[in-house]
Amino acid sequence: MSKKSKIIVMISSLLLLTIIYPVLMGCLYATPSADDFTNSIGWQNYEELHLKYMLLNLINSYKSWQGTYFGNFICGFPVYYKLGLVGLRIWLLGAAILFCFSSFLFVISFVRWLGIKHSGKYVTILIYTALFLLYILGTNNLDEIFYWYTGSCVYTLPVCFSLLCISFYMLYETNKNKISLVMGIVFAFLGAGGALDIAALLCSLLLFGFLYNYLVLEKISRSFLIGLTALSGAIINVAAPGNFVRHATMDEKIRPLMSIANAILRVNNVISSDFRKGLILAIIIISFVIAFEKIEKDVFMFKYPGLVTIYCYIAILVTDFPIFLGYSSAYLPGRCAFVEHISIAIYTILASIYWAGWVKNNEIFKFTKEIYLTLAIICIIPLSVYFDVSSLKELTPYKMTWHLAKGDYKTVSKKTASIIEQIEESSELDVIVYITASADDEWTNIKPIGLSEDSAYWVNTGVAQYYGKSSITIQYTE
């Protein structure tokens, strides 16, 4: 490895460390929240085999709430109730580590699929992983993904399984190993059992692979079985009666045209905003340059780059569409924005690499020192906003680092422990919990319990039922 490559590896590794470490540390301060209590009540009251309860809970949720069959099944197991706070935090930490691992494997498989086999592949893998995780972890609050048990069941794990599915798909395309095919099929079914936007993203990626094989390589690979499994899982997910029951509580009509319009407006706004912040622009330029330098000419076929770019844009819209259709509004929860940003990251990098490969195969131009300098300036100018510490702290991992060091996570964790302790130790049926109000500059992205000053609020009633109380009310003190 050259000296230049070693420097790039060191910088990329340090960047990854600063992105991943605070996210993992946050798991050690996580607490149970909202649905984590209400989802435990059925388990508490069930006297037969609890595995049977998890299956019954899956069926009931499928019929009355939503079609996320994998998420519904796992949610039936109350980690906090059975394993306590330590068990909950270990679970969430494990889910966060699995996400990082699946992201690495996804990038490794992608680089192999592109045919990058020489020593430069290690540098390429680190750079693409750093770009991927910086954008996804830096531009989302992460509270509903890494610090909420229910969110980990319906979103985090299915996202991980979807990334693993695509990884094994690409590995099978590379080595035709039957184990990769089987693993791809298994993870396809599990990934499609999460939220519908995850199923949509998974199916769009597998469809791209199928179309590439069919239109560019003029073949049909056995890997289509992975896509067929994901599609079957998505259909099972979409067809759930619970989806329509839940939708009816918000809107009596299904509005596809309005949902398409909301998806277009949302995606255009997010991409435009992140372009202005320099993140998307940097991803495009760096991905293009690295691909141009590392991809071997004529090893991988790059045809129809314009159509691929259009497909990438439509696929991002498809990722958001089920959410807007389900809510019948322009509302996009933070957990859904996380999936949306994964879609944007994947398809932006894919389109950029595809153009780079097409340019190289067709010998459109060659990079000179002047071009490299120009591209560096184009990247640095918008990214220079992050030279300011206050702007840098807008990126979630660095904001977390600041408030972890400041002690806010420890403070909030202690407040939550105090709330739980007051409820558990109270001999009253109508419990009043006293807590101090948060300081103006206090911040964490740990998802709170969610109790309100209104004892009739659904979280209050759920937590009260969980602890066998008649009511719970929060009162703030100075």
Side-chain angles (χ1 to χ4, degrees), residues 36-110:
D36 297 344
F37 292 98
T38 55
N39 289 339
S40 302
I41 295 171
W43 177 287
Q44 288 177 322
N45 298 327
Y46 196 77
E47 297 180 353
E48 298 181 43
L49 182 66
H50 279 91
L51 177 60
K52 180 181 177 182
Y53 165 76
M54 292 175 69
L55 292 170
L56 291 174
N57 182 67
L58 160 61
I59 294 170
N60 179 63
S61 299
Y62 187 82
K63 290 180 177 179
S64 62
W65 187 243
Q66 61 187 25
T68 53
Y69 53 85
F70 173 79
N72 293 342
F73 179 73
I74 299 299
C75 277
F77 178 73
V79 164
Y80 176 68
Y81 176 73
K82 291 297 295 181
L83 304 178
L85 194 58
V86 173
L88 173 66
R89 290 172 175 173
I90 291 174
W91 172 279
L92 295 175
L93 179 61
I97 292 172
L98 180 61
F99 174 76
C100 295
F101 170 79
S102 58
S103 298
F104 269 105
L105 184 60
F106 175 79
V107 175
I108 291 169
S109 305
F110 184 51

Side-chain angles (χ1 to χ4, degrees), residues 304-338:
Y304 320 120
L307 291 177
V308 168
T309 304
I310 294 171
Y311 182 92
C312 290
Y313 174 71
I314 293 174
I316 298 171
L317 298 179
V318 167
T319 302
D320 278 356
F321 174 75
I323 305 303
F324 293 123
L325 187 67
Y327 284 107
S328 278
S329 72
Y331 173 63
L332 196 76
R335 56 191 180 274
C336 302
F338 182 81

